[in-house]
Amino acid sequence: MPVSDLVLSWKDGMESSQTSTIKLDESGQFETLVSYNTYSGSSILGYDQCDFELSVVQYETYRHGKLTSSGVLTLDKNQSPFTIEADE
């Protein structure tokens, strides 16, 4: 198996850092949910619009505990699933 772990990280609408570590199956595939706070900041009237949408997720791939690749996924809600090609 070329890659054994995938680490996803992102900032939500509250600018809080979030991280998810995923163990990949033997084929290197995975499914995960990325959740985030939709808080977008107060509007002029003091009410939050809650319209933050996550647009990027950073990723790192690891093999035997060593970093093998990293990058940024630009999210498009019309595109799914995503493919991450990791270097051998």
Side-chain angles (χ1 to χ4, degrees):
M1 177 167 57
V3 173
S4 57
D5 295 310
L6 173 67
V7 177
L8 301 176
S9 58
W10 63 96
K11 289 198 176 200
D12 68 13
M14 298 285 289
E15 286 294 310
S16 297
S17 295
Q18 307 292 326
T19 303
S20 176
T21 301
I22 301 142
K23 295 280 187 194
L24 303 183
D25 67 19
E26 289 180 9
S27 68
Q29 297 199 14
F30 69 95
E31 279 190 37
T32 189
L33 295 175
V34 174
S35 61
Y36 57 91
N37 190 322
T38 61
Y39 180 78
S40 58
S42 296
S43 69
I44 295 170
L45 300 175
Y47 299 102
D48 180 49
Q49 300 301 303
C50 292
D51 58 0
F52 172 82
E53 289 189 28
L54 188 63
S55 60
V56 294
V57 173
Q58 297 177 350
Y59 70 88
E60 296 177 337
T61 60
Y62 291 85
R63 179 178 40 235
H64 306 295
K66 295 178 89 176
L67 179 67
T68 57
S69 66
S70 63
V72 176
L73 287 175
T74 300
L75 304 179
D76 177 351
K77 57 185 164 187
N78 297 320
Q79 177 189 358
S80 179
F82 293 97
T83 300
I84 298 171
E85 297 282 339
D87 296 332
E88 289 295 324

